[in-house]
Amino acid sequence: MARVGICEDDADVRRVLTEGLRLADHEVVVSRNGREAMAAFATPGSVEVLIVDIGLPDADGRDVCQALRTAGQHAPVLFLTALDGVHDRISGFHAGGDDYVAKPFAIGEVLVRVDALLKRTRPAPTTPTGLVMDPERFSVRTSGGEARLTPTEYRILAALAAAPGVVVRRRAVVAAGWPDGAMVSENTLDSYIRRVRVKLETAGSPVELVTVRGVGFVLR
């Protein structure tokens, strides 16, 4: 069971989502637009997963996601969208989203993806690197300080931290960071790696995230 937030302006879609999630034993918190979403979900820890429609009446759902991230909300975000082009999916990932479902959708698919996001946000907190991973806060603590990560950044770092000194291939990093079937470009992956590297450096980590050109990445 998890606390799931919904931001969807269509009443029929809200009803289908709410009923399906509750039948799956999830607690549901509903908002109808970007303004209500900010009021309901900006507090870190208020929900464990967010389902956000991109086509909201008062805002683009991707902008709402970015605003929630800025406010400190790091729960994984599942976008609902009628826009199913590659560019639209990539822009959703850049905005801080973790997965997407195209409309019209089957509620069964939404439930499976919600469960997958919940599982991916709870990797083992201890790593051989000495980094202390906190799956509840999506943070990493080093000997020099602490860094807050997005869920995708956290999953990437957790996969690398589980194999220190070993080069993890690019496709394995993508598999750890994104759901099955996600189309993640080389540039998108490199952008996430840079963000994780900067956060580790800012936190004073003695562990270095190194890119092995054309192969993958390694923590040393």
Side-chain angles (χ1 to χ4, degrees):
M1 177 178 176
R3 197 163 193 252
V4 181
I6 297 173
C7 182
E8 168 62 63
D9 64 300
D10 187 294
D12 289 334
V13 175
R14 283 200 311 273
R15 177 182 54 78
V16 170
L17 289 170
T18 299
E19 291 178 356
L21 288 163
R22 286 176 175 165
L23 284 172
D25 293 326
H26 295 302
E27 181 182 353
V28 180
V29 182
V30 174
S31 64
R32 297 170 296 179
N33 52 51
R35 178 179 54 80
E36 290 185 4
M38 291 302 300
F41 308 131
T43 302
S46 56
V47 290
E48 295 176 69
V49 177
L50 278 165
I51 299 174
V52 180
D53 182 21
I54 285 182
L56 297 171
D58 63 341
D60 188 303
R62 289 165 290 199
D63 294 334
V64 173
C65 179
Q66 287 184 316
L68 289 170
R69 294 285 186 244
T70 300
Q73 177 56 266
H74 294 291
V77 172
L78 172 65
F79 280 126
L80 302 179
T81 176
L83 308 172
D84 195 27
V86 173
H87 172 74
D88 300 304
R89 294 195 293 270
I90 290 174
S91 66
F93 289 131
H94 277 307
D98 298 275
D99 199 0
Y100 73 95
V101 172
K103 292 182 176 180
F105 58 82
I107 186 61
E109 180 182 3
V110 172
L111 295 177
V112 167
R113 291 183 181 272
V114 166
D115 287 344
L117 289 174
L118 287 168
K119 290 176 183 177
R120 285 169 174 263
T121 57
R122 297 180 178 127
T126 57
T127 71
T129 60
L131 298 175
V132 180
M133 309 289 291
D134 185 339
E136 299 298 326
R137 299 176 62 242
F138 302 113
S139 69
V140 56
R141 192 164 66 251
T142 77
S143 58
E146 184 180 39
R148 295 295 297 272
L149 309 170
T150 68
T152 300
E153 292 167 354
Y154 183 92
R155 293 192 295 269
I156 289 172
L157 180 57
L160 295 171
V166 176
V167 178
V168 181
R169 293 187 175 274
R170 298 178 70 93
R171 63 176 177 271
V173 176
V174 170
W178 285 270
D180 293 342
M183 300 183 66
V184 181
S185 69
E186 296 284 315
N187 288 339
T188 296
L189 176 57
D190 289 337
S191 174
Y192 271 87
I193 290 293
R194 285 193 296 270
R195 285 157 51 178
V196 173
R197 182 182 292 121
V198 168
K199 289 184 178 182
L200 285 175
E201 293 172 351
T202 302
S205 173
V207 178
E208 183 182 10
L209 174 50
V210 177
T211 297
V212 180
R213 189 176 298 276
V215 182
F217 312 95
V218 59
L219 285 179
R220 293 175 179 164

